[in-house]
Amino acid sequence: MSLRTKGETGDALGTWVKLPDPESVEIMAHAGFDFVVIDLEHTAMDLRAVSTHVAMARSLAVDPLVRVPDHGHSAIQRVLDAGAAGVVVPHVDTVAQAEAAVRSTRFPPWGTRGSGGTSRAGRWGTLPRDEYLDFGNNGALCVVQLESRQGIENTAGILAVDGIDSVFVGAADLSMEMGVPASDAQVQDLITHALEAASDAGRSIGTAAGTSEQGLAALARGFDYVVVSNDTSILANGARQIVNAVYPDQAG
């Protein structure tokens, strides 16, 4: 799977992983998801759990991306050395922030990432150094989230940054910032702007969806990949369906 070039491999389907137990990734892989996004922004997960998730995903041929908690260099470097296929950087609003995100994912002279070839990304020191460096500079994905009016308006400039592989539209935070529902015309016009900018740049663009129906609608609208639901919601909804079926009078 590649999220780099628009239309390169067709639509791709992922889901968020928010629980620390590796069974979450295992279940999602067996369910048939193309990739998972391990979430460090909105969970209490630690790097040890991320490392285990990445190993599980790799073993099952599912691409593991990690949404880092912020723009911090250290978190980006550590999850990449844990073997992540790439990072999703939240709340990128400007070209300067996009450039900084790229620098954190790349080795010198293109970035500031330190060499950690004895990590999983370097196959514990057994991967030739040039292969380790090549993946870091050319293979690891740098995806940035656009979740503000400013970020969306800067889509074209952000996608023009060398090393930005894809943008990810966060409609929930965008609508919250604007003080209107996600269905509001103002929000939808901005999303259309981002889609058109990505199309013009020939780069991929993704978004999140709560349900499969919403995911299908996003793909039909022109998004190249979609992250649908998450392990906790899938578990909670499945549990609720069972309870409601047995106790229909208590359905909530």
Side-chain angles (χ1 to χ4, degrees):
M1 180 208 73
S2 173
L3 300 184
R4 277 197 167 84
T5 304
K6 195 169 186 67
E8 182 177 335
T9 58
D11 300 334
L13 175 64
T15 192
W16 303 103
V17 171
K18 296 177 176 289
L19 295 172
D21 303 286
E23 287 81 4
S24 278
V25 171
E26 185 179 15
I27 290 167
M28 300 309 161
H30 289 312
F33 284 97
D34 301 305
F35 65 99
V36 293
V37 187
I38 303 158
D39 190 6
L40 278 178
E41 185 189 16
H42 290 297
T43 70
M45 207 180 307
D46 59 20
L47 265 171
R48 181 62 195 166
V50 170
S51 179
T52 303
H53 279 325
V54 167
M56 177 66 76
R58 291 290 193 188
S59 71
L60 294 169
V62 172
D63 285 322
L65 301 178
V66 178
R67 178 163 66 178
V68 291
D70 50 39
H71 298 185
H73 171 83
S74 176
I76 292 173
Q77 176 168 289
R78 294 180 75 186
V79 300
L80 288 175
D81 273 339
V87 292
V88 179
V89 183
H91 298 288
V92 171
D93 299 321
T94 67
V95 168
Q97 289 174 339
E99 291 171 341
V102 171
R103 286 195 298 273
S104 294
T105 66
R106 304 294 188 254
F107 298 109
W110 302 280
T112 57
R113 181 180 167 192
S115 176
T118 56
S119 63
R120 178 179 290 113
R123 207 178 296 155
W124 310 115
T126 65
L127 189 69
R129 180 175 173 79
D130 59 342
E131 293 184 35
Y132 166 73
L133 296 177
D134 179 67
F135 179 77
N137 286 326
N138 301 303
L141 289 164
C142 183
V143 180
V144 294
Q145 283 194 214
L146 310 179
E147 34 200 343
S148 69
R149 178 188 288 275
Q150 183 184 19
I152 296 289
E153 290 175 344
N154 287 330
T155 301
I158 288 170
L159 281 172
V161 173
D162 187 22
I164 294 295
D165 297 300
S166 180
V167 292
F168 187 88
V169 174
D173 279 346
L174 174 62
S175 66
M176 186 166 59
E177 180 202 64
M178 297 176 67
V180 296
S183 58
D184 188 271
Q186 299 175 76
V187 175
Q188 294 305 311
D189 287 348
L190 284 169
I191 293 173
T192 297
H193 172 78
L195 283 162
E196 291 173 348
S199 179
D200 290 344
R203 294 299 185 93
S204 69
I205 181 170
T207 192
T211 66
S212 54
E213 291 80 11
Q214 292 169 354
L216 285 168
L219 295 173
R221 186 173 181 180
F223 285 99
D224 300 289
Y225 60 97
V226 63
V227 181
V228 177
S229 194
N230 60 81
D231 53 356
T232 57
S233 293
I234 292 169
L235 175 61
N237 290 336
R240 178 173 290 180
Q241 288 174 10
I242 291 171
V243 172
N244 289 348
V246 176
Y247 299 125
D249 294 337
Q250 299 180 26

